[in-house]
Structures are given as structure tokens and as C-alpha cells.
Amino acid sequence: MSEEGLSNSERRMLGKMQADSVRQWSLNELLKSCSWSDQATVVTAGHGLSNKGLATINEVINKTWTLGAEGEVALTNGLLEDRLLKWLVTQPEGERGMRDLSNSSFEKHESGPGVGLLKGLGVTIQAGSLCLPEDFETVESVIATRFAFLEQLRDGCEELQLDTDLLNHFRGRKGLLVSTEATIRTWQITEEGCGISSGNLAEVEQIISITPELLANDAWKSAEFKPYDVSLESKTPITGKSHPMQALIERVRAVFLEMGFSEIEGNFVQSAGWNMDALFIPQDHPAREMQDTFYLDNPATFDIPSERLEQWKSIHEDGGDTGSIGWGGAYSTDISQKGLLRTHTTVNTIQHLAANPNAPCRIFSVGRVFRKESIDRTHLPEFHQIEGIIMEPGANLPMLVTMLKTFYAKMGYPEVRVRPAYFPYTEPSLEVEVKWRGKWLELGGAGIFRPEVTEPLGCSAPVCAWGMGLERLAMLVLDLDDIRQLYISDLEWLRTQPIL
Ligand code: PHE
């Protein structure tokens, strides 16, 4: 390594270190001898010299202990064992039982651990009563040592200077101590560093940025440019980027488009007829209840052509012309006309089929759906579904499974399995599971639409359909334990999210 490519700070630092080749230079020593005020200059120059083999960096992690919140309290009010002991001494005999303790001014969370501490100090419990140890003085001196230890930590203290037994004792007690770690660096010159002649360490004017003025004449040709070190650590810039949910939607979209699918869209506000009846969901299905579905006051009802209503009615009651026997019972066209917020995007799929019953297609949609769920770690009343169909002559179950496996593999989850499931509108029906952290996670449903669904619309080709929760997938992709994290606008979290 030669002196070439040395920055001015590196030259200065090396020059100073050459004066003492065996010394481990501390930060302050280097700041002083180089006449710098910013420690970053030393760190950067030291880093550069070390990369070039001209100096070595020695790092020691230094652990410092200070008082935690409980420690501060103990310093003001006395240690818990001390306070308890004082209480015990002043209690009349016969009133030193556990019940007396719980009626005393001690907090509930103090009495349990407190008695444990007292026992550790030799207090015994006899016939339900706390008994003072014989050697009371020793106990008092132990407490005094503990208190002195806490006082020692008032302004922080390096771990090496602390009594190990006492430190271990207090580490086992909640909230009394906290520790911080700092890296202490020293720098030493290497043999190679010593070999650079001082004449080569003269600082020269270096050009840091290229400006139009600089290029106006030829002076730059003889100038020295400051070399860049692209390996240096730097701040992560805070820039605008898509929200992770939006980014994920874009990725899902890209994958389906790449697989030859086209996207469809639909309305949030729908009739129960299209959302449920058209999908052969029985009218007494629990998911239709008020407590599961958001029914609307406005529009409270939809006008649906009577032929359509009659068609649904006959299919539900006796199967109509489909060869099915239907659900039986009486079908209410009033129920079909009710307005609601769509509970799944399958409503848009079915409307697409109704409008294009005989045009083979591969379509998908990504959209918001609404269900009356209580919000918790894995549930939201508003979430997104990804869903789609393949309709073409010869479409079949293996094709559906392969398509789903391909989709998840493209998303980065190659291990997929399907299990038999049930939906009122598909037969056969299946559940899709993805292996994540060694466990199988259910991500969606799929199947082939039943004749009760497709025949009334006039579809002649089989329709493979699937639907899955996008937030579920997001939890997996972003490694989340709580689904709410996606929507609380936590800037700190958003900034650290990967670009998907
Ligand atoms: N609609 C189903 C749901 O909301 C998913 C599904 C779609 C299942 C298509 C089968 C076929 O969970």
C-alpha cells in the first residue's frame, strides 16, 4: 500500500501516529494531536487507514450500569426489604402475619417479592407469622451494603468496577438496574504505516465536488481529488416510498399479470343477491347474519330484475334446471334485495361471469372487503382479498392447484399444500396452505364453481376460482405478529420496511 489515495485527514492522523509506533491512541488523544473537534473525523480517517493496512483499530465493548426506575425509587424510599423489615419490627407480636402484610400500606406487587427477599435474609414464617432472624445485625449490614451499591450507581458505573455478587443479585430484581454498552476504540499504527515517508504525508488541497467553475479551465487536470470510500457506513436516507400494503398489492398484481391474468374491479356496495344468492349461499347461512355482515341503510335495497330474482329463488328452493335439489325451504326475494358492503370479492367475479358467460378468461382482482369482525391481532373489519378465476373448456382442479402453487412460488413461498374444504359455491373445494417458519398457514380458499352458480349465468366451461386474504399474506411477507401494524401509520416502522 502506498500513500496514494490517502485523504488529508488520513495523512494528518498517520503523521501524528508515526511519532509513537507502539501507542494505542485513544479518541481524545487523536482529537487533540490532530486538532480536530469532531470524533467522526477520527473514526472515518481511522477506518480509511485500517482499510489500507496502515493502522489497526481495537474495539472494546464497555458496559455501564445505572439505576432503573425502580432503582431510583429504592434510593429515595429505601430498599423494599429494608422497608418491610422496618414495618415488621414495629408490628406488635401476633400481627406479623401475611394477612397483616396485605392490609398494610405495601402494594400488592411488593408483598410477594418482598417476603421472598426477607426469607433470603433469614426471616422465617412460623405458623403463618413472619419471624425476625436471630442475627438481626448481619441482616442490617447486608441491606446497608446493598444500598451503598445502589448509591454507587447513581451516576453510572462501569461493570468492571462493580462487585459481581451484588450486581448479580440486583440483576435478578426487576427494574432496579439498567445497562448500556459503549464501544471504546483505540488506534495503533502498523509497520506499513510507519514506512510511509513523512514527505508524502503533506496535506494537499483536495477537490471534494465537481462544479461548473472547476471545469471552466484546465486547473482540475493537475488537482488532487478526494477519493470516495463507498464502504463507509452512512445514514439511511429517509425518502418517500410506497406503503408496504400498496407495494405488496403491486407485486401481487405483477405476478398475476405475468401469469397471463387480467384485472377486474367492482363496487364495495352490493346487494345480498349478488354477494350471496348468486353464489348459492343458503339464506340461513350464519355469515349472512347482521353480526357478520354490514347491511346498509342507504341503499337499504337494490332493484334487481324480477327474472334474476326468480332464477335465484328456483335454484335455492329446488335446484331449478341444474339437476341440483337446491336448499329446500322458502326463498325470500326481499333478502336478495338488501344492500350491504361486499363481504368477499367473489361478488365481482360472479358479476363478471354474468356479463361474459361464454368468453373464456383468466381474471383476478385485489380489493377491499368488509366483515363485522372485532379488531384483534389477526382480524380487521376491513381487509383486502385477492381473488380470481380461470374459465375455459377443460379447466380442472390440477390446473387450479398448479396455478396457486405457481403464484405462491413467485411470491417466494414454494412450499404449498391444499386440503379439502367446503364453500357453498364450489365443488370440490379446497384450502390453500403455505409453509412458513416450519408451520402450515392457511391463506385462502379455492374450488370449481358449482353448476348452481354457473349454469344460471349461461357459462358452459368449468370455472376454477380462488380467493385469499391479502393482509394474511402481508403478515407473512413482512413478518408481522399483529395485523394492525399495517394500518397504524407508525412512521418508525414504515421507514424500516423493506422495499417489496
Ligand atoms: N370467497 C371465499 C372467502 O371469502 C374465498 C373463495 C373464493 C373460495 C373463490 C373459493 C372460491 O373466503
Side-chain angles (χ1 to χ4, degrees):
M1 180 72 221
S2 74
E3 64 289 352
E4 248 170 62
L6 288 183
S7 72
N8 277 335
S9 340
E10 288 166 5
R11 286 177 189 166
R12 188 180 305 184
M13 184 157 149
L14 192 64
K16 298 295 173 191
M17 287 167 92
Q18 280 182 343
D20 191 342
S21 64
V22 290
R23 179 142 160 202
Q24 291 280 349
W25 295 74
S26 73
L27 177 70
N28 281 334
E29 286 167 344
L30 285 168
L31 279 175
K32 204 162 155 239
S33 58
C34 297
S35 321
W36 288 330
S37 56
D38 186 354
Q39 64 176 63
T41 320
V42 176
V43 174
T44 312
H47 196 76
L49 291 174
S50 142
N51 280 346
K52 297 177 182 83
L54 304 176
T56 52
I57 307 171
N58 179 30
E59 292 188 346
V60 190
I61 309 277
N62 194 11
K63 201 164 188 175
T64 306
W65 289 90
T66 46
L67 295 177
E70 287 300 317
E72 301 279 359
V73 172
L75 215 53
T76 328
N77 300 346
L79 280 158
L80 177 58
E81 56 270 44
D82 194 19
R83 290 188 288 125
L84 269 173
L85 221 50
K86 287 192 173 122
W87 169 82
L88 198 58
V89 173
T90 52
Q91 279 294 100
E93 242 176 279
E95 292 178 27
R96 296 176 179 172
M98 293 303 283
R99 177 151 324 139
D100 302 305
L101 179 57
S102 48
N103 291 337
S104 70
S105 59
F106 287 97
E107 309 249 357
K108 248 212 186 86
H109 68 88
E110 290 184 323
S111 5
V115 170
L117 283 167
L118 289 188
K119 278 170 131 183
L121 291 169
V123 170
T124 52
I125 302 179
Q126 283 164 29
S129 228
L130 294 162
C131 307
L132 290 173
E134 311 236 305
D135 189 0
F136 195 65
E137 270 169 34
T138 312
V139 173
E140 281 185 315
S141 88
V142 170
I143 294 181
T145 335
R146 288 184 186 169
F147 193 76
F149 181 85
L150 288 190
E151 280 185 312
Q152 193 188 354
L153 294 187
R154 199 193 293 267
D155 301 314
C157 190
E158 285 181 21
E159 183 165 294
L160 287 175
Q161 289 167 12
L162 289 172
D163 180 280
T164 331
D165 289 341
L166 280 167
L167 177 61
N168 285 338
H169 167 81
F170 279 110
R171 279 169 105 153
R173 295 174 66 170
K174 223 171 144 202
L176 281 161
L177 312 186
V178 284
S179 66
T180 45
E181 280 183 359
T183 310
I184 311 252
R185 294 188 184 86
T186 52
W187 293 263
Q188 190 180 4
I189 193 165
T190 61
E191 226 173 280
E192 262 187 276
C194 293
I196 306 253
S197 82
S198 59
N200 287 327
L201 292 181
E203 292 174 41
V204 287
E205 206 191 320
Q206 288 184 317
I207 292 168
I208 303 173
S209 58
I210 298 173
T211 58
E213 293 75 35
L214 178 72
L215 300 176
N217 57 50
D218 282 349
W220 61 270
K221 287 190 178 161
S222 51
E224 186 166 330
F225 288 86
K226 183 179 158 63
Y228 276 103
D229 183 352
V230 288
S231 67
L232 280 185
E233 271 186 49
S234 65
K235 263 198 190 160
T236 308
I238 297 172
T239 55
K241 62 180 177 194
S242 292
H243 187 278
M245 272 312 267
Q246 198 52 46
L248 183 62
I249 291 176
E250 290 307 335
R251 212 174 120 194
V252 165
R253 208 168 251 153
V255 169
F256 278 118
L257 292 173
E258 189 179 293
M259 288 167 70
F261 284 77
S262 316
E263 186 169 1
I264 60 163
E265 267 186 332
N267 293 332
F268 295 167
V269 175
Q270 297 284 353
S271 63
W274 281 109
N275 192 79
M276 290 138 176
D277 297 317
L279 285 157
F280 198 50
I281 299 175
Q283 287 200 323
D284 58 3
H285 195 284
R288 292 196 182 226
E289 304 276 325
M290 287 279 281
Q291 57 271 24
D292 289 301
T293 298
F294 290 105
Y295 287 96
L296 299 172
D297 286 340
N298 183 16
T301 59
F302 271 82
D303 271 340
I304 296 174
S306 58
E307 310 83 75
R308 187 63 83 187
L309 290 172
E310 285 311 314
Q311 190 185 41
W312 290 336
K313 183 175 165 69
S314 84
I315 297 215
H316 279 247
E317 287 181 348
D318 57 26
D321 305 328
T322 63
S324 161
I325 57 167
W327 293 114
Y331 177 95
S332 151
T333 51
D334 287 348
I335 291 183
S336 315
Q337 286 171 292
K338 279 193 187 168
L340 49 71
L341 291 177
R342 70 179 179 199
T343 61
H344 52 183
T345 43
T346 320
V347 60
N348 307 118
T349 306
I350 206 69
Q351 285 169 337
H352 175 87
L353 285 176
N356 312 277
N358 277 309
C361 66
R362 293 180 175 213
I363 52 166
F364 77 99
S365 66
V366 187
R368 207 177 286 195
V369 298
F370 308 84
R371 292 183 194 173
K372 264 197 180 166
E373 303 271 11
S374 317
I375 297 180
D376 66 24
R377 212 170 56 75
T378 51
H379 292 95
L380 293 171
E382 247 185 83
F383 57 99
H384 293 78
Q385 283 189 329
I386 317 167
E387 103 147 44
I389 52 169
I390 299 177
M391 173 173 68
E392 61 195 40
N396 56 31
L397 204 64
M399 192 169 181
L400 175 62
V401 173
T402 305
M403 191 284 299
L404 290 167
K405 287 192 171 168
T406 310
F407 169 76
Y408 285 112
K410 280 175 184 278
M411 292 298 294
Y413 303 95
E415 283 190 83
V416 179
R417 74 175 183 190
V418 294
R419 308 207 304 159
Y422 173 77
F423 300 100
Y425 35 96
T426 48
E427 181 59 36
S429 304
L430 43 94
E431 232 162 55
V432 191
E433 295 185 333
V434 167
K435 187 88 158 268
W436 185 62
R437 293 183 180 169
K439 278 205 223 139
W440 290 104
L441 262 183
E442 197 213 309
L443 284 190
I448 298 187
F449 277 150
R450 296 174 67 102
E452 290 93 330
V453 175
T454 49
E455 280 187 25
L457 304 175
C459 304
S460 46
V463 183
C464 296
W466 78 91
M468 58 198 147
L470 178 63
E471 280 77 0
R472 262 286 174 97
L473 185 61
M475 286 180 82
L476 212 110
V477 173
L478 301 169
D479 201 9
L480 295 182
D481 294 317
D482 194 324
I483 201 163
R484 290 169 286 197
Q485 184 69 45
L486 294 167
Y487 295 110
I488 55 174
S489 303
D490 172 352
L491 283 182
E492 209 32 57
W493 178 77
L494 288 169
R495 274 177 194 146
T496 53
Q497 285 318 289
I499 292 174
L500 295 179

